[in-house]
């Protein structure tokens, strides 16, 4: 088979799958073990490319999760937009190395343009530096590496040269409800989770600003504060104006984990939730969640480009790039890397400013609709539904677990479980452009059937 036919066939298979995903089981009833068996043993000899693709589709498709369909509400998972998906297929076909403008002028330029659009949409300072990374985890890690550089440089310590051996101890003030990726970033950066000073939170997971100020006042030495735009369970936002003012008064760097909620800034109706966030020092968010870009896609923004580059650039020479054009890899963790900008640019170009606002507003309205239908039928909603996240409890933890398992088995929709402030919940995240009111009604129906059953 010719290459052309092979690629067209592969794209057609993907399109078939995406079309079917609106009606197929949301979670497969095929086990990973049976896929492993279908994939077979290491082959001795080469095979025609067309046979390979055929075999892969046959083995993998029965065990795919229809997260690209309209009734997947697990974790925080967007269904990739059409243009972004097509652009990502092109990124594979073009096979560009997004290291810098020498390895690919197009890849370097598209990240530049997409980054400036993102900053405008999210209300971030235009001078902020940006790194296109693999996701929220990598974005938090890059931002906290920049923070580590900045607070230690101000204490007279060159962490890039000497590491943390002998460095003044850094304290990291974090919300008790921070995302687990903050802790992993601190582990990877050698700061360690014992460096954290946890701030108590209210019933929505918002950091107590008075307690935060007290912790900052009492902590010695260089300090970093981690705030949240959109708690992964409740969707709640920290009080940015008060928290950032307190943090800066004590010389702390403020990082905002906005993997889920920074997108509220793109909606005129919801922007108030992020009020004051632009005064922070760094921000992370995800493309593959609410922007509905294919995996893997995340963004690290930093108000101090020199701190960002000091932490992540290979050498100072890479900063401006070999030919004077900004090197995207100087602001990310990878050296050779996927040309991630194409898919992000395509998502933003397809949606436009109003389309993105509409996506965010619609998901939030649909989350409210879901919560309302459950609440009216005796289900406990454990959070104020201010964003796209809903926590539902069906009695005690055991009953909630039982209802959750029944819904997951039904194939009608899929959501995961979580524990928030000591209680187990079904966590519903409405993050896909494909979800409609009819999908919400059908999913709520499936949940209520499991609840009554
Ligand atoms: C999902 C999430 C992350 C991690 O993002 P990944 O893209 O999964 O690495 C970090 N913080 C919050 C609040 C999240 O919801």
């Amino acid at each position: 088979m010719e290459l052309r036919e092979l690629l067209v066939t592969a794209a057609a298979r993907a399109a078939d799958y995406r079309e079917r995903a609106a009606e197929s089981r949301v979670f497969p009833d095929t086990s990973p073990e049976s896929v492993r068996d279908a994939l077979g043993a290491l082959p001795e000899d080469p095979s025609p490319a067309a046979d390979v693709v055929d075999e892969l589709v046959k083995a993998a498709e029965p065990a795919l999760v229809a997260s690209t369909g309209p009734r997947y509400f697990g974790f925080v998972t967007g269904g990739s937009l059409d243009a972004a998906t097509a652009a990502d297929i092109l990124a594979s076909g073009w096979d560009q190395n997004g290291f810098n403008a020498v390895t690919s002028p197009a890849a370097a330029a598209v990240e530049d343009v997409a980054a400036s659009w993102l900053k405008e949409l999210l209300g971030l300072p235009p001078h902020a530096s940006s790194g296109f990374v693999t996701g929220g985890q990598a974005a938090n890690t890059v931002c906290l590496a920049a923070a580590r550089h900045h607070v230690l440089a101000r204490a007279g310590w060159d962490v890039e040269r000497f590491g943390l051996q002998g460095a003044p101890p850094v304290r990291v003030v974090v919300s008790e409800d921070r995302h687990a990726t903050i802790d992993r970033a601190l582990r990877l950066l050698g700061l360690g989770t014992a460096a954290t000073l946890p701030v108590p939170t209210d019933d929505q997971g918002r950091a107590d600003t008075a307690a935060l100020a007290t912790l900052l006042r009492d902590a010695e030495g260089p300090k970093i504060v981690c705030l949240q735009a959109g708690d992964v369970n409740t969707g709640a936002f920290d009080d940015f104006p008060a928290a950032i003012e307190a943090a800066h008064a004590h010389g702390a760097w403020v990082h905002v984990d906005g993997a889920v909620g920074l997108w509220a800034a793109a909606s005129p109706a919801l922007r108030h939730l992020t009020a004051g966030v632009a005064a922070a020092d760094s921000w992370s968010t995800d493309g593959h969640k609410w922007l509905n870009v294919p995996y893997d896609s995340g963004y690290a923004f930093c108000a101090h480009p020199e701190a960002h580059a000091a932490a992540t650039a290979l050498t100072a020479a890479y900063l401006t790039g070999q030919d004077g054009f900004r090197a995207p890899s100087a602001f990310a963790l990878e050296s050779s890397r996927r040309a991630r900008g194409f898919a992000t640019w395509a998502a933003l170009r397809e949606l436009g400013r109003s389309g993105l606002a509409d996506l965010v507003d619609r998901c939030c309205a649909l989350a409210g609709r879901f919560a309302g239908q459950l609440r009216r039928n005796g289900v406990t909603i454990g959070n104020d539904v201010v964003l796209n996240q809903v926590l539902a409890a069906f009695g005690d933890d055991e009953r909630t677990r039982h209802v959750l398992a029944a819904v997951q088995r039904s194939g009608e929709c899929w959501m995961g479980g979580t524990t928030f402030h000591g209680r187990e919940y079904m966590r519903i995240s409405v993050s896909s452009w494909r979800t409609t009111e009819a999908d919400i009604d059908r999913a709520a129906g499936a949940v209520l059937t499991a609840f009554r059953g």
Side-chain angles (χ1 to χ4, degrees):
M1 193 187 279
E2 296 287 328
L3 171 69
R4 172 171 307 276
E5 204 183 330
L6 179 70
L7 294 186
V8 168
T9 303
R13 299 277 193 135
D16 289 345
Y17 174 76
R18 288 164 66 90
E19 280 166 14
R20 282 201 311 274
E23 280 313 315
S24 62
R25 278 186 65 85
V26 176
F27 196 87
D29 47 15
T30 307
S31 71
E33 288 77 16
S34 67
V35 181
R36 195 167 55 194
D37 292 345
L39 291 169
L42 173 68
E44 222 39 70
D45 299 310
S47 295
D51 295 357
V52 173
V53 171
D54 222 42
E55 247 180 68
L56 179 63
V57 171
K58 279 206 186 75
E61 265 198 355
L64 296 181
V65 173
S67 48
T68 198
R71 286 184 312 286
Y72 186 84
F73 306 104
F75 306 96
V76 183
T77 303
S80 52
L81 287 156
D82 289 344
T85 304
D88 210 46
I89 290 175
L90 286 173
S92 291
W94 288 337
D95 200 16
Q96 297 295 285
N97 180 354
F99 176 63
N100 66 13
V102 171
T103 58
S104 177
V110 79
E111 280 190 39
D112 236 37
V113 172
S116 70
W117 289 4
L118 286 169
K119 285 185 280 185
E120 199 175 327
L121 291 163
L122 299 173
L124 302 181
H127 72 270
S129 49
S130 60
F132 282 48
V133 295
T134 49
Q137 171 73 71
N140 280 334
T141 306
V142 166
C143 289
L144 289 172
R148 185 184 69 160
H149 165 88
H150 189 83
V151 299
L152 282 172
R154 274 202 317 207
W157 187 262
D158 183 347
V159 69
E160 280 70 41
R161 177 132 190 246
F162 299 111
L164 289 170
Q165 306 191 55
V170 177
R171 307 315 305 262
V172 188
V173 180
V174 294
S175 155
E176 266 178 5
D177 283 298
R178 68 195 174 277
H179 196 265
T181 51
I182 295 286
D183 293 73
R184 177 150 64 176
L186 296 177
R187 276 158 41 201
L188 290 168
L189 291 168
L191 291 166
T193 50
T196 55
L197 297 171
V199 184
T201 53
D202 68 7
D203 63 342
Q204 299 301 309
R206 288 177 293 234
D208 176 336
T209 311
L212 177 116
T214 307
L215 279 172
L216 284 163
R217 192 195 59 206
D218 296 345
E220 304 273 333
K223 292 179 267 292
I224 298 167
V225 173
C226 294
L227 301 176
Q228 289 204 101
D231 180 88
V232 72
N233 287 311
T234 65
F237 293 73
D238 284 332
D239 176 356
F240 299 118
I244 294 174
E245 192 188 326
H248 284 166
H250 290 93
W253 172 291
V254 181
H255 171 62
V256 176
D257 178 355
V260 184
L262 205 54
W263 298 101
S267 152
L270 295 167
R271 189 169 292 150
H272 63 96
L273 295 168
T274 64
V277 79
D281 299 288
S282 60
W283 308 264
S284 56
T285 191
D286 261 314
H288 55 219
K289 287 182 177 171
W290 219 347
L291 185 57
N292 286 213
V293 169
Y295 296 98
D296 37 27
S297 175
Y299 318 107
F301 298 101
C302 191
H304 311 274
E306 66 298 337
H308 189 165
T312 51
L314 276 176
T315 66
Y318 285 102
L319 254 189
T320 47
Q322 284 147 304
D323 59 351
F325 199 88
R326 193 190 83 106
S329 68
F331 298 88
L333 294 174
E334 306 87 8
S335 159
S336 299
R337 53 201 279 282
R338 182 170 186 80
R340 269 184 209 108
F342 295 125
T344 295
W345 180 88
L348 297 174
R349 182 72 184 84
E350 181 177 2
L351 291 171
R353 201 189 290 270
S354 69
L356 178 57
D358 184 58
L359 170 64
V360 170
D361 291 347
R362 203 167 67 239
C363 287
C364 295
L366 292 173
R369 184 182 180 96
F370 209 140
Q373 294 194 16
L374 297 185
R375 196 186 281 115
R376 276 196 295 285
N377 286 279
V379 177
T380 304
I381 301 301
N383 65 315
D384 299 339
V385 182
V386 295
L387 202 67
N388 61 331
Q389 306 291 105
V390 179
L391 296 179
F394 300 85
D396 60 15
D397 285 356
E398 200 189 323
R399 183 88 198 282
T400 296
R401 237 175 286 146
H402 183 80
V403 172
L404 182 62
V407 173
Q408 290 176 340
R409 270 195 313 271
S410 76
E412 282 286 290
C413 56
W414 199 92
M415 39 284 258
T418 190
T419 302
F420 180 70
H421 291 195
R423 185 168 185 186
E424 291 187 30
Y425 290 98
M426 169 188 284
R427 183 176 59 198
I428 301 163
S429 175
V430 185
S431 309
S432 172
W433 68 277
R434 287 185 76 177
T435 305
T436 63
E437 288 188 349
D439 290 308
I440 295 296
D441 298 351
R442 183 168 161 188
V447 172
L448 291 170
T449 299
F451 180 41
R452 292 182 188 122

